[in-house]
Amino acid sequence: MIAVVGAGLMGAATAWQLARQGHEVTLVEAYEIGHKSGSSHGSSRIYRRAYADPLYVRLTGEARELWQELEHDTGAQLLRLTGGLDFGAGRDPKGIAGILAAAAVPHELLTAAQAADRWPQFRFDGPVLHHPDAGTVDADATVAAAVRRAAEVGARVLTGTRVTGAEIRDDARVDLRTQDHTLVADTVVVASGAWLPQLAVPLGIPGPLPPLRVTQQQVFHFRRRDPETATWPVFVHKDELSLYGLPSGSDGGPLPAFKVAQHDEGTPTTADTRTGIVDPASRDKVTAWVECTLPGLDPTPVAEASCLYTTTPDEDFVLDRTGPFVVVSPCSGHGAKFTPLIGAMAADLALGRAEPHPRFALGKSRRTTAHQAE
């Protein structure tokens, strides 16, 4: 039996992948499915191909195929394409365009005037990269669909069940302890998000984890001045601030809204001590930027929320096997777009069918790098 700890995006996708292949799976979640205490809630996350890193460009393409497979298997619409924009002096649209060209990803490099003609709800002051294979994924619907389908094909789903510890047995299996009982697993996939740093010791995961920084981030939703404007692409912008934006989905309320947030400057916290109180300094910075750069939005937030990032120093993922444990932390605020692919990669590690990618290995040296953004 394979136990999956955590039913957020990555745990749900892993359980779906394992169960549909006929393996015995138990999915263990401390809260209810779709809870808002971690990093996997909300109706709108960015899917995009534009990265300043050929590895992630390749992985986004692999993820796109698996999003289609997940939608087909569950009957749920999860991915909606809007196109995507990258701009700002620190974002290097020209450099990313070269990487997309090398990967044969369709894109356009536009002047500020050309981009403003096409998207008058934005203001641009430099080159703008547009690529059509970008949009939004519905995190809430993805978790619900993957867990539902995993259960339909045989997975056992335990909610309200908190893992308290583990012990590796003489036969190399794991006694996984919860507050109510003990599960015996051949392999344990730990996909616990922001709870990973505090679970590593009681679980007895062999070897040290890389440094993981948990922060509370906040997002803001702004009303569109013209609700009939259909062409609102997702965007990533970097200059003095690192920001991203995307259509809000249901999170923004009943009227069409647009979600904008900082990718940087989160407040250090832990999964259990976060306040959930939105940082007013972040609200002021984002609101001022929206007023200056997005004239198509009313710069007064109509909704706001907080979530958690779990970030490695280099913002690469953690996806590796150590003993009977598979550690899954596709994190750092840009993992959601890879959800079904991470589920497949974690399943392969759990079944001993693949080696970890060197960039995602537990023991790799990790140095601080530039922000990837959602």
Side-chain angles (χ1 to χ4, degrees), residues 182-246:
T182 297
L183 303 171
V184 180
D186 298 287
T187 305
V188 178
V189 178
V190 185
S192 52
W195 285 267
L196 177 58
Q198 65 200 60
L199 270 179
V201 172
L203 285 177
I205 296 175
L209 291 176
L212 295 171
R213 181 173 182 259
V214 178
T215 56
Q216 178 178 286
Q217 310 289 136
Q218 29 277 316
V219 301
F220 306 93
H221 302 270
F222 300 89
R223 184 180 59 80
R224 302 182 195 180
R225 293 189 189 276
D226 180 2
E228 302 304 317
T229 302
T231 54
W232 275 92
V234 304
F235 75 79
V236 175
H237 171 277
K238 187 174 182 183
D239 199 342
E240 294 180 2
L241 297 177
S242 178
L243 300 115
Y244 62 89
L246 62 161

Side-chain angles (χ1 to χ4, degrees), residues 116 119-124 223-226 232 289-299:
W119 299 285
Q121 65 269 44
F122 288 78
R123 290 194 183 103
F124 304 103
R223 184 180 59 80
R224 302 182 195 180
R225 293 189 189 276
D226 180 2
W232 275 92
W289 188 87
V290 166
E291 187 169 19
C292 178
T293 312
L294 297 178
L297 299 178
D298 182 328

Side-chain angles (χ1 to χ4, degrees), residues 291-333:
E291 187 169 19
C292 178
T293 312
L294 297 178
L297 299 178
D298 182 328
T300 301
V302 295
E304 58 188 24
S306 69
C307 65
L308 295 175
Y309 275 10
T310 308
T311 307
T312 61
D314 60 5
E315 296 196 2
D316 274 346
F317 303 151
V318 180
L319 187 57
D320 198 355
R321 179 163 184 153
T322 175
F325 295 95
V326 175
V327 181
V328 181
S329 186
C331 52
S332 302

